[in-house]
Each structure stands twice: as C-alpha cells, then as structure tokens.
C-alpha cells in the first residue's frame, strides 16, 4: 500500500520537488478517475472535502505536503478512531479553549488598566504602566508556555 501511495505521490508531484503543492494536489483530485481520488472516495471523502484535507495535512502551513504526511493521512482515513484518540482530542480542545480564555482575560485586564490610567489623567506615570504591563505579560507568558507544553505532551502521549 505504501509503495502504491508513493507512486501516486510521484505522479502528483508534477515539478519533481519532493512535495506536492496545493495546485498539484488540486489538479490530482480534479481528475475524478485519479487513483488518489479513488482512495479518498473509498473513505467517503468527496473532491470538496479532499480539497480541504490538503490544509489539514499541511499542518505547518508551508503550502506543501510531503509523502510521509500523505501516507499518514490515508492510513488515518482508513483506521477507525479509537476512544482514547477522541477523548484526547476532546480534552485538548477543552484545555486550549481555557488557555485562550485566560489569555483573553489577561489582555482585557491590561487594556482596562491602561484605559483607567488614561481616564484619570495619570498617563504621565509611564513607569507604573510599564511595570503593570510586565506583570501581566509575565503571567500571560506562563499561561502560553504551559499551554504549549501541555499540547506537546498530548502529542507525545
């Protein structure tokens, strides 16, 4: 199977760059008789869904996908989701939302502080504003660092 996917990948890689661009991918799935489209259709993925699939595969946002990424995608399409995978996804989404909410709260707190200082005509005290900003910024950094570490741990697990 992997060999066949490699052959399909090579055919789609029109410029022989070792990766498939979005345009090359689109050209391949536009041909409903292409082997790649047949693979997707067997997994109940139509051409519109397949087009969006490119952006899921290209998680780095580089505009290119590599053979290994395509193989992993196809294997996952044909593998039923395990309960632990769904549970991990659910908790990762929940934690990400909580972290995003915390970051948003910190941003609002910072903005409120600055606006309050400006409303009181105390904007000449730049040092106090800078100190408060540093405190808020350090709290935000810790929250984002923790979120990133949690995401990496979830990916490793």
């Amino acid at each position: 199977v992997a060999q066949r996917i490699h052959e399909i990948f090579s055919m789609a890689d029109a410029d022989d760059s070792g990766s498939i661009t979005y345009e090359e991918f689109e050209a391949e799935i536009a041909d409903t008789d292409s082997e790649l489209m047949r693979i997707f259709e067997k997994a109940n993925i139509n051409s519109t869904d397949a087009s969006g699939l490119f952006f899921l595969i290209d998680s780095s946002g580089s505009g290119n996908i590599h053979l290994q990424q395509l193989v992993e995608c196809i294997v996952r399409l044909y593998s039923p989701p395990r309960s632990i995978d769904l549970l991990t996804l659910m908790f990762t989404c929940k934690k990400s939302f909580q972290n995003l909410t915390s970051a948003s709260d910190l941003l609002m707190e910072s903005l409120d502080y600055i606006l309050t200082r400006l409303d009181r005509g105390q904007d000449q005290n730049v040092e106090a504003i800078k100190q408060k900003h540093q405190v808020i910024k350090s709290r935000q950094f810790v929250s984002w660092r923790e979120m990133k570490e949690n995401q990496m741990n979830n990916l490793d697990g």
Side-chain angles (χ1 to χ4, degrees):
V1 173
Q3 178 60 33
R4 190 66 198 130
I5 296 170
H6 185 273
E7 291 169 9
I8 293 168
F9 184 91
S10 294
M11 288 187 293
D13 183 14
D15 62 359
D16 293 324
S17 64
S19 63
I20 298 175
T21 64
Y22 179 70
E23 291 76 20
E24 290 170 329
F25 188 81
E26 278 290 308
E28 189 66 24
I29 64 171
D31 178 5
T32 55
D33 290 330
S34 75
E35 289 190 59
L36 184 58
M37 234 5 260
R38 280 189 242 143
I39 289 171
F40 287 149
E41 286 171 350
K42 285 180 184 176
N44 294 319
I45 305 289
N46 63 31
S47 61
T48 303
D49 293 336
S51 182
L53 194 58
F54 179 89
F55 298 104
L56 293 175
I57 298 170
D58 180 25
S59 59
S60 68
S62 67
N64 298 296
I65 59 174
H66 300 279
L67 174 62
Q68 188 60 35
Q69 291 173 302
L70 184 61
V71 169
E72 288 173 8
C73 171
I74 291 171
V75 167
R76 286 182 185 229
L77 283 174
Y78 283 93
S79 301
R82 299 178 311 162
S83 297
I84 190 67
D85 295 335
L86 297 175
L87 191 60
T88 300
L89 178 62
M90 184 180 79
F91 281 110
T92 300
C93 288
K94 183 178 179 180
K95 185 66 178 172
S96 294
F97 180 75
Q98 290 170 342
N99 287 329
L100 186 57
T101 301
S102 294
S104 175
D105 290 346
L106 289 170
L107 182 60
M108 291 306 296
E109 182 183 330
S110 179
L111 181 59
D112 287 344
Y113 177 79
I114 291 169
L115 291 176
T116 300
R117 299 288 292 194
L118 291 173
D119 284 345
R120 293 182 185 161
Q122 297 175 345
D123 57 327
Q124 290 88 9
N125 193 347
V126 176
E127 280 307 310
I129 293 173
K130 284 181 180 178
Q131 287 174 356
K132 179 67 175 176
H133 180 263
Q134 286 301 320
V135 168
I136 293 170
K137 188 176 173 183
S138 67
R139 284 179 33 204
Q140 184 176 15
F141 174 74
V142 169
S143 294
W144 282 107
R145 189 181 75 227
E146 287 172 355
M147 181 179 74
K148 187 67 173 173
E149 287 172 359
N150 286 338
Q151 287 176 340
M152 294 309 293
N153 289 337
N154 286 336
L155 290 175
D156 292 339

